[in-house]
Amino acid sequence: MPVWHNATRKWVEDGRLVVLGIVQEQHPDRCQLFAQWHKLDWPILWDPINVLESAAVPIVVAIDEHGIVRAVSPRPESFERDFLNRQFDDDPPNRAAGAKRPGRKTIGASRLDVIELRRQADVEASAASWRRLGDALILWHGAGRVDDAIDAYRRALLVDPRDGNTLFRLGVSHRVRSESDQSHAADFQAAIEFWEQALATNPNQYIWRRRIQQFGPRLEKPYPFYDWVDEARRAIVERGETPIELAVPPVGAELAQPARSFAAATDQAGSPDPDGKIIRDRDGLIEAEVTLVPSQLRPGGTARVHVAFRPNAALQAHWNNESEPLRLWVDVPPGWQVSERLLSTSPVDRPVSDEVRRLDFELQVPADAGEGDAVSAYALYYVCEGSNGTCQFLRKDFTVKVSGN
């Protein structure tokens, strides 16, 4: 985008060109931050579910003032000659009166269409009609109607279980809900599984593959996905502006550099509770959600393990930040490798808080591992129950198991 922004700026200022972007990004505010960093001042539409059904990006399309596509993937250095200065032989003013224009594809749906789309889906009961309803709900209402979007996409899959576009959209919807609603603990894992099912229907779909790799192990990454975020924030602050705030800042896997070989932990850190004396969190003040990418841990394979720690809202649980941060210890058996054995969250500058805390690490499984073999891990944290409840130092145990061959 920055290349085309620089190349087209003068034409835009002269009124000869209008630039519009469409981004296939799960998080719209990350796109906003990138645009702010590079001073992209033209509209950018958000297409998290890939309504355009693009197999790869970027795609540059030149459309004339009559709505006719004149070029796909033009080159910046010849764009003025081949498009802006060119007189096309079939311009509509030169056509016979009443000539029809090429058909147009409807992208998305307006807020006012949702009721009508639901009526159509109930009547037609087709995969396409249910998917259209899901598209309108997730694009125009986001997290506010995500449950309804998930229901619509699931109804579409009942009609056509192998439709990759619906599977991908369902994954996006589960990921939206996992970041906005703490009551659905398995949403992140569901998102990964639906994206994997979608990719299985079309292994050449670049955008679906990249969405999985974004959260996956370093051995599978083509590039670091969001390592530019800190640089962007610094540059924006240095020029006296306030950076766009990210609702879900990238961490761990989204910042990690690609690797050609597994980078095992080399530190000599020891278990912070080797004898298991810390009291277990049996009341579930903190709930731990474990997500694997890929979703199946196979012998000889590598996976990124994401762990989200959520205070239990029903118990009014919250973090006590006046002591050490949450720590996570990974206890790997012989032959296994882990990227980090002891991890900790960043300090929080408020005495108490109730945010979701996330940590992730990578595992490499030995080739001779059997189904059911597992890695044990535990977290240690300070947590309080209720506004005037007792604060405790507790331990949460969990395992990550091999799924089989």
Side-chain angles (χ1 to χ4, degrees), residues 7-167:
T8 60
R9 183 178 300 170
K10 186 177 186 304
W11 303 323
V12 171
E13 292 173 351
D14 292 344
R16 302 177 63 199
L17 183 69
V18 174
V19 178
L20 176 70
I22 302 175
V23 62
Q24 283 78 27
E25 162 66 64
Q26 180 80 28
H27 305 90
D29 50 3
R30 296 184 186 182
C31 176
Q32 287 179 293
L33 180 66
F34 187 88
Q36 182 186 18
W37 178 30
H38 287 284
K39 300 182 180 180
L40 308 182
D41 52 4
W42 28 268
I44 301 176
L45 305 181
W46 181 50
D47 181 17
I49 56 177
N50 196 17
V51 173
L52 292 179
E53 299 182 8
S54 303
V57 293
I59 300 172
V60 180
V61 179
I63 304 173
D64 70 9
E65 63 269 33
H66 306 289
I68 298 175
V69 173
R70 297 300 188 179
V72 177
S73 300
R75 299 181 64 83
E77 59 270 23
S78 59
F79 186 75
E80 186 173 23
R81 179 195 67 205
D82 295 341
F83 178 68
L84 291 178
N85 293 342
R86 184 174 173 184
Q87 179 67 36
F88 295 96
D89 294 336
D90 60 345
D91 278 346
N94 298 328
R95 296 189 201 168
K100 294 184 178 180
R101 295 181 180 179
R104 296 179 181 178
K105 182 178 180 180
T106 301
I107 303 299
S110 73
R111 293 177 187 269
L112 299 178
D113 288 333
V114 170
I115 295 176
E116 174 60 20
L117 288 173
R118 176 60 195 243
R119 189 196 66 78
Q120 291 176 8
D122 285 331
V123 172
E124 297 176 14
S126 66
S129 62
W130 283 114
R131 195 174 78 185
R132 284 196 299 270
L133 174 60
D135 291 352
L137 288 165
I138 200 68
L139 287 174
W140 292 102
H141 298 273
R145 296 288 300 274
V146 67
D147 289 351
D148 294 330
I150 289 173
D151 177 70
Y153 289 136
R154 287 186 178 274
R155 289 171 184 263
L157 285 182
L158 290 175
V159 181
D160 186 359
R162 293 291 297 165
D163 181 71
N165 290 306
T166 301
L167 288 164

Side-chain angles (χ1 to χ4, degrees), residues 200-213:
T201 69
N202 182 5
N204 299 309
Q205 231 296 350
Y206 165 99
I207 291 174
W208 299 351
R209 185 178 298 277
R210 292 293 187 260
R211 195 64 60 88
I212 300 168
Q213 291 171 333

Side-chain angles (χ1 to χ4, degrees), residues 315-316 318 383-392:
L315 300 176
Q316 295 183 301
H318 54 273
V383 63
C384 307
E385 180 179 2
S387 58
N388 298 311
T390 302
C391 294
Q392 305 176 71

Side-chain angles (χ1 to χ4, degrees), residues 332-353:
V332 291
W336 293 61
Q337 300 285 348
V338 64
S339 58
E340 293 180 81
R341 299 199 70 181
L342 182 62
L343 303 90
S344 63
T345 57
S346 301
V348 177
D349 60 3
R350 303 186 304 280
V352 298
S353 59

